[in-house]
Amino acid sequence: METNTILLLIISVLIAAGLAFFQYIYKAKNKSNLNLFLAFLRFITFLGLFILIINPTVTRNTFKTVKTPLVIVMDNSSSIPFLNANKEALASYQKLVNHPALQEKFEIQSYQLDSDLQLSNSFNFKGKQTNLEAAARLLQKNYKNKSFPTVLLTDGNQTNGNEYEFSFDPLNKVFPIVLGDTTKVTDLKITQVNVNKYAFYKNQFPVEIFATYSGKEAITANFKIFQGKSILVNQIISFSPQKKTAVVQVVLPANKIGLQLYKAQIIASKKEKNPFNNTSSFAVEVMDQKTEIALLSAINHPDIGALKRAIESNVQRKVTVIKPQYINELKKYKLVIFYQPNKHFNTAFETTKQAGLNSFIITGTSTDYSFLNQQQSDVVFKMSNQMEDYFANFNSEFTLFSSENIGFESFPPLQNSFGTINAKGNSSVLLSSKIRGIDTESPMLVFSENQGKRAAYLFGENSWKWRSHYFIENQNFEKYDTFIDKIIQYLSTNSVKQSLVVEHQLVYNLGDPIEISAYYLNKNFEFDEKARFEISIVNTTSKMNRKYDFSRASNSFKVNLESLPAGKYNFIVTELNSKERFSNTLEILDFDVEKQFVNPDELRLQQLANYTKGNLFYPDKTDQLIQKLLAESEYQPIQKDVVIKSPLIEWVSLLIFLLFILSLEWFVRKYNGLL
């Protein structure tokens, strides 16, 4: 206790004693024992009040035993009962959590794992996905800077996420318990189907199917592709212990417009343990036309090739690169892209205006801004001859179409002339610009609409580096190309604004997230944050009808329908305030990814154990695992000195005691006629 507090307490004792003496002894006519008793009670009252005012802090030292966490993760996916391993999994789990010595040494914490990781001590083995990499990531987050062992009861077959063998913390040992029969059996499996999402009417489209074989003898298999009840492909494939893979490449006709469903099937000449992985369904949307886009450029630049590849990743698009001085007519094009326009683009701009086409203008270090100011009225440029690097900043309030921040802030800078750029009129900014981390309050990617014509402006060259950077970070171009595709989709359609916009896929696999997003624009075509959405979805075969409410996301509303069974569905999205509606169909394919395995992935689990310096076990060796955990000397309970500081004013007992003293004094005075 501090010296100042001790001095204040001493002074409080003296003042309380002085006040009690003055009230009951000094002023008293008869100095009886009653007066002395009342003076004592008043002294206690004054002293207690003074102590509460001073509010000293009482410090207590206690010792607390901290046990090392023992994390037990149970694979709760449906592949466990499919491999007939659920009973042995539960038996091993019960042995671990109920072992007295483990309970004494560790703080046992159990989780269930499927598409994510959750605290749980009960398991139903109905999960539709297995994401071991997510478990590794969450465990590192939840037990940061802690040393602890992990027991992982799983078959090791991951259906979602990145490679997990090296995702766990190498400083924390992992002890996998392999669930399922490791005996190799004869099995044929369709591992992958490569096909474009779109095809064009009366054309043909390629399909590539990969099949694998597990077995000890040579066999033949019948491979077929069905559309409904019609057999489109029928051929024989041979496998052997030396030839374990086969690639089937076929070309199918696109004779019907709309969503077309197909089923690839491979049937072995002998009975298999798992027939579920012999079939894989896929879908192709057959389109009756292609969007033609003209890309005009007077210079050669890597941006042109990158932009063309990104746009044509959607097979509905075709980009034709043209020199501006050779432009004749643009009637067949839906959109014109002007790359770094200068005075040579004069005829192209006039032709575009006469044809009533939308435009996408990309500027850079070779752009003639004086010429560009004359050709359009959406943006005013005041640029210098100095070059500058501009970084992107994503606008989450953008509402012209659904957009996602794919990491724009980490993208390399675009190069453009230094100056001021002011967007006028009805414009919407998707990306703004920064220079060396400072917001310029100028747009980088802006959309404008004027007299029914849409235009987009990207200020800066070297966007090819954006596409390359995204690939380096994600090993694919998917979301970047989707970002470009949404820009092209917006610019290649007419400018009739829709209040209710709904985005969804036409086909989903059973068990995959089935997400539908929607947003509503008010009368000023601004994003309505108070909108309320409901979806009514009906199975076209069983007539099962369900309704769901949407929840708010960053710049839209979303609903997840992953609990729906396989089948074809009609759905209606309704904005409840305005009663506006959107209707369409979707298909959920009967593909259970958890039933694609016949054996546990023992090899990858062994790699995980080796990487973390743990050990691999099987359910019948659970007792050995328990002894191993008990013998680990690094996991010992730690006794910590805990200092508890509590202000005296928080002592409820002291307040009750003061009330009792005051009540007792009042009662004594009343009884003796002193009131």
Side-chain angles (χ1 to χ4, degrees), residues 331-369:
K331 290 182 180 179
K332 69 176 183 177
Y333 299 106
K334 289 287 188 70
L335 171 67
V336 180
I337 301 176
F338 298 92
Y339 186 78
Q340 301 210 42
N342 52 35
K343 61 182 180 180
H344 298 296
F345 285 71
N346 186 58
T347 302
F349 271 101
E350 293 299 327
T351 306
T352 302
K353 292 174 184 177
Q354 292 172 7
L357 298 177
N358 294 337
S359 61
F360 185 10
I361 298 175
I362 302 174
T363 69
T365 57
S366 300
T367 303
D368 186 338
Y369 288 101

Side-chain angles (χ1 to χ4, degrees), residues 359-407:
S359 61
F360 185 10
I361 298 175
I362 302 174
T363 69
T365 57
S366 300
T367 303
D368 186 338
Y369 288 101
S370 298
F371 168 78
L372 195 53
N373 277 328
Q374 297 171 5
Q375 295 299 324
Q376 52 78 42
S377 58
D378 299 324
V379 184
V380 176
F381 300 94
K382 296 180 181 179
M383 314 300 284
S384 67
N385 294 325
Q386 179 184 343
M387 298 298 109
E388 186 59 77
D389 289 337
Y390 293 88
F391 290 87
N393 191 30
F394 181 75
N395 176 20
S396 61
E397 301 301 320
F398 181 81
T399 59
L400 290 183
F401 50 84
S402 178
S403 56
E404 178 184 355
N405 188 353
I406 57 174

Side-chain angles (χ1 to χ4, degrees), residues 320-563:
T320 303
V321 181
I322 309 171
K323 294 287 185 181
Q325 57 267 35
Y326 299 133
I327 192 72
N328 294 318
E329 62 176 27
L330 297 171
K331 290 182 180 179
K332 69 176 183 177
Y333 299 106
K334 289 287 188 70
L335 171 67
V336 180
I337 301 176
F338 298 92
Y339 186 78
Q340 301 210 42
N342 52 35
K343 61 182 180 180
H344 298 296
F345 285 71
N346 186 58
T347 302
F349 271 101
E350 293 299 327
T351 306
T352 302
K353 292 174 184 177
Q354 292 172 7
L357 298 177
N358 294 337
S359 61
F360 185 10
I361 298 175
I362 302 174
T363 69
T365 57
S366 300
T367 303
D368 186 338
Y369 288 101
S370 298
F371 168 78
L372 195 53
N373 277 328
Q374 297 171 5
Q375 295 299 324
Q376 52 78 42
S377 58
D378 299 324
V379 184
V380 176
F381 300 94
K382 296 180 181 179
M383 314 300 284
S384 67
N385 294 325
Q386 179 184 343
M387 298 298 109
E388 186 59 77
D389 289 337
Y390 293 88
F391 290 87
N393 191 30
F394 181 75
N395 176 20
S396 61
E397 301 301 320
F398 181 81
T399 59
L400 290 183
F401 50 84
S402 178
S403 56
E404 178 184 355
N405 188 353
I406 57 174
F408 292 104
E409 287 78 5
S410 65
F411 281 9
L414 299 186
Q415 193 173 53
N416 201 17
S417 299
F418 180 77
T420 59
I421 301 174
N422 295 315
K424 302 192 303 182
N426 186 18
S427 61
S428 298
V429 177
L430 177 55
L431 299 176
S432 58
S433 62
K434 295 188 296 185
I435 298 176
R436 292 181 286 275
I438 300 174
D439 290 330
T440 64
E441 299 183 357
S442 294
M444 175 178 283
L445 177 59
V446 62
F447 296 83
S448 180
E449 188 169 325
N450 188 13
Q451 296 180 351
K453 298 297 179 289
R454 291 176 172 176
Y457 298 83
L458 176 62
F459 307 124
E461 64 180 75
N462 295 331
S463 60
W464 68 270
K465 294 182 179 179
W466 285 8
R467 193 168 188 261
S468 300
H469 174 85
Y470 186 85
F471 181 84
I472 292 171
E473 293 294 320
N474 300 277
Q475 303 305 306
N476 63 68
F477 299 108
E478 184 177 350
K479 287 191 176 181
Y480 180 83
D481 289 351
T482 299
F483 159 71
I484 297 295
D485 185 64
K486 288 188 176 183
I487 295 174
I488 301 303
Q489 176 67 28
Y490 173 79
L491 293 174
S492 59
T493 55
N494 60 45
S495 60
V496 177
K497 290 188 176 180
Q498 297 178 343
S499 297
L500 176 59
V501 180
V502 179
E503 294 189 349
H504 67 98
Q505 296 181 30
L506 295 172
V507 178
Y508 300 86
N509 282 326
L510 184 67
D512 288 348
I514 303 171
E515 191 173 77
I516 296 177
S517 63
Y519 62 88
Y520 183 76
L521 302 178
N522 59 25
K523 293 182 179 180
N524 293 327
F525 291 100
E526 299 170 334
F527 177 71
D528 189 351
E529 296 181 352
K530 297 182 180 179
R532 296 183 299 126
F533 295 93
E534 178 185 79
I535 182 171
S536 175
I537 187 162
V538 181
N539 187 295
T540 57
T541 303
S542 66
K543 305 303 179 184
M544 177 193 70
N545 189 344
R546 293 185 182 178
K547 290 185 177 181
Y548 301 87
D549 292 325
F550 284 68
S551 58
R552 174 70 190 275
S554 59
N555 59 340
S556 64
F557 294 81
K558 294 185 178 181
V559 65
N560 197 305
L561 310 175
E562 62 181 4
S563 61

